[in-house]
């Protein structure tokens, strides 16, 4: 929810702009740039894609995700292969540029100048200011020629996308039908047959377990694992001897004053969300508001603990267990009703705010007025930034030297000690498991599996690379039965119990010929009838069970209401029999209220799908070769794969 509420990626216009199209200095420097020219990461219709292009795109994407997700960025980054995503983005950029040229799309110098002049980051008092333009680019390490080229490419993409968008239209009947399906309201009763009741009765023999092991041996397969030693060249660890002079500090301060040390108005707030689902009835809204008002009353009571109230009541999963903490944010980052309210509040004040998410009980922790850090205030951060930049350079130099030494036989432990660093030896890990000491860096694990046993390679990590040696590698295998017998027994019992539960549910369903039989079968089987509160089909969340999209679709297909879904459905091993007790399309009043916003959203989704299809067609018709070993490691051996 916090991530959705943060409407913009950056708190200031310049950061939003630069987060998407900035061209920054890559960590690898001249020596590796030359290396990349010899060994490109990929080629698109014969045009080479070099490592520094992917590095720049990866850096941009990382900053964008960090600004969007804040403290949650590390968890998000751990789930994606950022470098691979960056490569795909660079490939798409190349294909779009080619298609633009093929279609004769040309961005004139005048149009480019107008685009840059209209960018708020480059304006003073509403007018483009060339000095400001130069300062902003310089502060962010951007070259004007490259920046303008990137802006031109972005304008070509905008033109192409507008052409695609123009060709996508939707009819009123199509939109209304989609709205009805999306907002159809469903109410259910259900019987559940849990496997736990059958598990105690399962007593497998040794022969049954061995037969099960043989039949499903692949399900017990252990993945390939590796063990490595690595040195992490973190800039601050490398810059221990760097002591910036007062002149260096002052010059760095002046260069980065606007981008790093100027702060807009900010508010630190917490919230407790009482959610109102999309398409909720007036009664549901009223009930949610009443609940929110009760929570508000509790939060305003003397000695109230907002943390505990958030944990108990909030429907925002991303902040609930952190006291509803939204952190500090400037104007323009939260949705407008929420922002308008919190920027009028005083520290300690608690109010109720309504947005399209529901009702928010909001407490303001702190209000910070817009200010510019003085040189004295910024000094610790300045020293750290200067040392980090210097450390990155030292890390690059040390890595290049140590790689040469390691290839000549020097041990990583000795090399690390010489640098005052640590050579970390990991336990065995698979591609999907975290690496000891580098748990948040998914790329390290993936890169390690592209290095052969006994080999040493440099692994890119933005600003802080690794020197890695693969100590050992174990092949994927199915362990012997005796080694994993307890695990086989556990799986056998669980799967048998789930199968028995389903068989029992199938027998019960056979006895239900009409809705009246539903209650009779429940009573004769001594099963409780559970009620699921009304939910909209689009949520695919069955109250009391959780996400269960199959049920929403099956409920929509029941011919007569009330009516029983004609098959047993399973969720987390439990078997369910469902009766659809009510089903209704949204009212005409609801449609009229939502018509414009839903139409816009529906059209936007179809245009996004058309653009994705257009890009996929470009890829399908292109000659794309990816050198997979160059993507994650600095290996000199090339292994090609075509798309």
């Amino acid at each position: 929810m916090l991530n959705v509420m943060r409407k913009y990626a950056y708190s200031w216009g310049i950061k939003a702009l630069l987060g998407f199209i900035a061209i920054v200095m890559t960590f690898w420097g001249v020596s590796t740039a030359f290396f990349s020219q010899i060994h490109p990461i990929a080629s698109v219709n014969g045009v080479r894609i070099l490592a520094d292009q992917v590095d720049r795109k990866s850096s941009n994407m990382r900053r964008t995700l960090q600004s969007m997700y804040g403290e949650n960025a590390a968890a998000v980054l751990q789930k994606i292969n950022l470098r691979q995503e960056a490569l795909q983005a660079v490939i798409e950029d190349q294909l779009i540029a080619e298609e633009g040229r093929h279609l004769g799309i040309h961005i004139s110098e005048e149009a480019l100048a107008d685009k840059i002049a209209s960018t708020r980051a480059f304006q003073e008092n509403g007018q483009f200011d060339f000095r400001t333009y130069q300062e902003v680019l310089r502060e962010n390490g951007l070259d004007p020629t490259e920046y303008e080229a990137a802006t031109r490419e972005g304008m070509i993409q905008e033109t192409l996308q507008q052409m695609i968008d123009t060709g996508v239209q939707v009819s009123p009947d199509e939109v209304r039908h989609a709205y009805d399906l999306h907002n159809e309201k469903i109410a259910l009763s259900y019987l559940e047959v849990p496997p736990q009741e059958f598990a105690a009765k399962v007593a497998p023999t040794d022969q049954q377990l061995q037969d099960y092991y043989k039949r499903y041996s692949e399900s017990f397969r252990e993945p390939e694992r590796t063990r490595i030693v690595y040195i992490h060249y973190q800039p601050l660890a490398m810059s221990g001897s760097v002591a910036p002079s007062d002149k260096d500090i002052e010059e760095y301060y002046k260069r980065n004053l606007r981008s790093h040390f100027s702060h807009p108005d900010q508010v630190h707030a917490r919230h407790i969300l009482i959610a109102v689902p999309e398409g909720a009835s007036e009664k549901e809204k009223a009930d949610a508001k009443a609940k929110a008002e009760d929570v508000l009353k509790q939060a305003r009571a003397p000695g109230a603990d907002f943390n505990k109230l958030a944990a108990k009541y909030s429907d925002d999963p991303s902040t609930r267990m952190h006291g509803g903490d939204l952190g500090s944010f400037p104007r323009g980052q939260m949705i407008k009703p929420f922002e308008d309210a919190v920027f009028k509040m005083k520290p300690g004040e608690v109010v109720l705010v309504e947005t399209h998410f529901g009702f928010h009980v909001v407490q303001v922790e702190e209000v910070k007025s817009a200010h510019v850090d003085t040189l004295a205030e910024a000094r610790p951060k300045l020293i750290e930034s200067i040392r980090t930049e210097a450390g990155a350079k030292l890390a690059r130099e040390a890595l290049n030297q140590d790689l040469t030494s390691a290839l000549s036989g020097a041990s990583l432990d000795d090399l690390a000690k010489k640098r005052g660093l640590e050579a970390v030896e990991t336990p065995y890990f698979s591609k999907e498991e975290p690496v000891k000491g580098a748990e948040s860096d998914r790329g390290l694990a993936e890169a390690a599996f592209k290095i052969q046993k006994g080999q040493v390679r440099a692994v890119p990590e933005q600003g802080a690379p690794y020197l890695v040696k693969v100590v050992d590698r174990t092949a994927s295998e199915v362990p012997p039965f005796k080694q994993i017998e307890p695990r086989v027994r556990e799986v056998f019992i669980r799967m048998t119990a789930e199968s028995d539960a389903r068989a029992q549910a199938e027998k019960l369903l056979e006895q239900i010929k009409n809705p009246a039989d539903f209650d009779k079968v429940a009573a004769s089987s001594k099963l409780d009838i559970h009620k699921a509160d009304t939910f909209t089909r689009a949520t695919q969340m069955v109250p009391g069970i959780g996400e269960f999209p199959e049920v929403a679709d099956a409920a929509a297909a029941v011919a007569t209401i009330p009516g029983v879904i004609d098959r047993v459905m399973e969720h987390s091993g439990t078997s369910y029999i469902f009766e659809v007790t009510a089903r209704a399309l949204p009212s005409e009043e609801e449609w009229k209220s939502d018509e414009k916003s839903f139409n816009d959203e529906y059209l936007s989704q179809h245009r996004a799908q058309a653009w994705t299809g257009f890009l996929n067609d470009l890829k399908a018709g292109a000659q794309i070769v990816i050198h997979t070993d160059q993507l994650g490691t600095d290996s000199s051996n090339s292994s090609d794969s075509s798309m």
Side-chain angles (χ1 to χ4, degrees):
M1 180 62 65
L2 169 60
N3 304 331
V4 178
M5 288 180 64
R6 294 190 183 280
K7 189 172 60 172
Y8 300 108
Y10 283 78
S11 60
W12 191 29
I14 176 176
K15 293 182 180 178
L17 173 72
L18 300 178
F20 287 101
I21 59 176
I23 300 175
V24 298
M25 294 299 290
T26 177
F27 168 81
W28 289 104
V30 177
S31 62
T32 307
F34 175 75
F35 182 83
S36 300
Q37 290 174 13
I38 301 173
H39 297 280
I41 285 181
S43 64
V44 179
N45 293 330
V47 177
R48 295 185 304 172
I49 292 176
L50 306 181
D52 60 343
Q53 294 173 267
V54 178
D55 288 340
R56 288 196 295 266
K57 182 68 74 171
S58 176
S59 178
N60 294 342
M61 294 170 71
R62 182 185 295 272
R63 288 199 305 275
T64 299
L65 289 170
Q66 287 171 337
S67 65
M68 289 174 64
Y69 291 94
E71 294 179 355
N72 298 322
V76 174
L77 286 165
Q78 193 171 357
K79 295 177 182 177
I80 63 175
N81 187 328
L82 193 62
R83 195 164 171 80
Q84 207 165 58
E85 295 293 332
L87 173 60
Q88 290 302 315
V90 174
I91 289 172
E92 290 176 1
D93 289 347
Q94 177 61 31
L95 290 171
I96 290 167
E98 285 185 9
E99 186 67 11
R101 287 192 294 272
H102 175 71
L103 295 174
I105 297 174
H106 173 69
I107 305 300
S108 67
E109 292 299 322
E110 292 77 13
L112 177 63
D114 288 344
K115 176 74 172 180
I116 292 174
S118 65
T119 302
R120 188 163 64 90
F122 305 141
Q123 295 178 352
E124 287 289 342
N125 300 320
Q127 298 294 321
F128 176 75
D129 182 76
F130 186 67
R131 178 185 292 179
T132 301
Y133 172 67
Q134 290 179 310
E135 288 180 358
V136 169
L137 295 188
R138 184 172 61 251
E139 287 172 4
N140 289 272
L142 306 181
D143 175 78
T145 302
E146 290 183 324
Y147 173 75
E148 289 163 16
T151 303
R152 190 188 297 274
E153 289 175 3
M155 294 174 70
I156 291 173
Q157 176 170 329
E158 289 175 7
T159 304
L160 267 174
Q161 200 153 0
Q162 287 170 2
M163 293 168 62
I164 299 294
D165 288 352
T166 301
V168 178
Q169 301 296 327
V170 293
S171 70
D173 288 345
E174 179 186 353
V175 177
R176 179 60 193 270
H177 179 66
Y179 178 81
D180 286 346
L181 291 179
H182 193 267
N183 293 282
E184 186 176 33
K185 297 179 178 64
I186 299 170
L188 303 169
S189 293
Y190 62 89
L191 307 178
E192 62 179 13
V193 184
Q196 291 83 354
E197 297 181 5
F198 298 87
K201 303 174 185 177
V202 181
T205 65
D206 289 343
Q207 188 60 50
Q208 285 178 310
L209 292 179
Q210 290 184 36
D211 290 344
Y212 186 85
Y213 168 79
K214 291 176 182 177
R215 185 176 181 183
Y216 299 104
S217 60
E218 279 302 311
S219 66
F220 298 101
R221 177 172 291 280
E222 294 288 343
E224 181 184 23
R225 285 189 166 85
T226 194
R227 184 162 59 90
I228 66 173
V229 176
Y230 69 84
I231 304 172
H232 196 187
Y233 295 83
Q234 297 181 2
L236 282 177
M238 297 295 300
S239 63
S241 61
V242 175
S245 67
D246 290 342
K247 183 180 179 181
D248 291 336
I249 293 171
E250 186 174 353
E251 288 179 351
Y252 192 95
Y253 174 73
K254 290 178 179 178
R255 288 198 308 271
N256 296 278
L257 180 62
R258 292 168 61 92
S259 58
H260 290 75
F261 305 109
S262 299
H263 309 283
D265 291 331
Q266 287 193 329
V267 170
H268 182 186
R270 298 174 181 270
H271 84 142
I272 299 169
L273 172 66
I274 307 301
V276 175
E278 185 179 354
S281 65
E282 290 303 318
K283 182 180 183 305
E284 288 173 322
K285 291 179 181 177
D287 290 345
K289 185 175 182 180
K291 180 179 178 180
E293 288 173 340
D294 178 62
V295 176
L296 175 67
K297 184 178 179 181
Q298 295 182 54
R300 285 176 170 173
D305 189 327
F306 201 91
N307 286 4
K308 291 182 179 178
L309 291 173
K312 182 176 181 180
Y313 294 111
S314 184
D315 293 323
D316 180 357
S318 64
T319 66
R320 180 174 60 236
M321 301 315 296
H322 303 285
D325 195 354
L326 297 169
S328 295
F329 50 88
R331 293 182 184 275
Q333 204 174 79
M334 296 293 184
I335 53 177
K336 190 163 175 52
F338 192 94
E339 175 187 293
D340 290 344
V342 297
F343 276 91
K344 293 176 182 176
M345 295 170 63
K346 298 176 181 178
E349 190 175 358
V350 184
V351 302
L352 187 64
V353 180
E354 182 179 0
T355 72
H356 69 267
F357 294 111
F359 297 92
H360 308 256
V361 177
V362 185
Q363 181 185 65
V364 165
E365 297 268 306
E366 183 182 15
V367 176
K368 295 180 181 179
S369 300
H371 67 283
V372 176
D373 294 338
T374 65
L375 179 60
E377 291 170 335
R379 188 177 181 86
K381 186 176 179 180
L382 287 163
I383 293 173
E384 181 177 334
S385 297
I386 294 170
R387 290 184 64 223
T388 298
E389 290 186 6
K393 180 180 179 181
L394 292 171
R396 180 175 69 245
E397 294 171 352
L399 174 68
N400 290 337
Q401 294 170 8
D402 291 352
L403 176 59
T404 301
S405 298
L407 291 172
S408 299
S411 76
L412 268 63
D413 190 54
D414 290 341
L415 293 171
K417 289 178 180 177
K418 182 180 69 174
R419 304 288 181 189
L421 302 174
E422 179 186 5
V424 179
E425 183 166 353
T426 72
Y428 287 96
F429 60 88
S430 70
K431 288 182 182 179
E432 305 304 321
E433 293 172 337
V435 181
K436 174 188 173 183
E439 287 78 8
S440 63
D441 188 358
R442 178 179 172 180
L444 179 59
E446 293 183 351
F449 279 89
K450 296 174 183 176
I451 306 172
Q452 299 301 312
K453 178 180 176 180
Q455 289 186 335
V456 181
R457 293 289 183 268
V459 175
E461 160 66 10
Q462 186 66 30
Y466 301 86
L467 186 62
V468 178
K469 179 176 182 179
V470 173
V471 177
D472 195 17
R473 177 78 44 80
T474 61
S476 172
E477 65 170 359
V478 177
F481 172 75
K482 287 298 182 182
Q483 185 177 322
I484 58 169
E485 183 177 353
R487 180 178 160 201
V488 176
R489 180 182 298 276
E490 178 187 344
V491 173
F492 180 91
I493 291 173
R494 185 181 76 248
M495 298 302 292
T496 303
E498 290 178 4
S499 178
D500 291 346
R502 182 178 181 86
Q504 177 65 16
E506 297 280 7
K507 290 179 181 178
L508 297 178
L509 182 60
E510 289 177 2
Q511 301 173 35
I512 301 175
K513 306 300 182 183
N514 55 62
D517 292 337
F518 189 84
D519 292 354
K520 294 177 183 177
V521 168
S524 63
S525 303
K526 298 181 180 180
L527 293 174
D528 293 332
I529 297 177
H530 302 273
K531 301 288 184 180
D533 295 335
T534 301
F535 63 97
T536 57
R537 182 179 177 184
T539 65
Q540 300 188 333
M541 297 284 292
V542 178
I545 298 177
E547 189 171 354
F548 210 159
E550 302 89 344
V551 172
D553 293 339
V558 172
T560 306
I561 304 301
V564 177
I565 293 177
D566 63 359
R567 64 184 183 276
V568 171
M569 311 193 81
E570 290 182 80
H571 186 276
S572 299
T574 297
S575 292
Y576 294 89
I577 301 172
F578 288 98
E579 178 187 26
V580 183
T581 56
R583 189 179 65 205
L585 295 177
S587 67
E588 191 66 24
E589 291 74 19
E590 289 173 317
W591 164 243
K592 290 299 182 185
S593 174
D594 296 339
E595 181 177 4
K596 185 180 185 308
S597 61
F598 186 85
N599 185 85
D600 291 345
E601 181 181 351
Y602 187 77
L603 180 59
S604 177
Q605 288 176 351
H606 276 251
R607 285 175 171 172
Q609 290 169 0
W611 176 250
T612 299
F614 170 73
L615 292 178
N616 289 338
D617 287 344
L618 290 181
K619 290 178 183 178
Q623 183 68 31
I624 301 173
V625 177
I626 297 176
H627 305 276
T628 54
D629 64 324
Q630 298 298 318
L631 181 59
T633 72
D634 213 14
S635 172
S636 59
N637 298 320
S638 178
S639 173
D640 298 353
S641 64
S642 298
M643 291 179 58

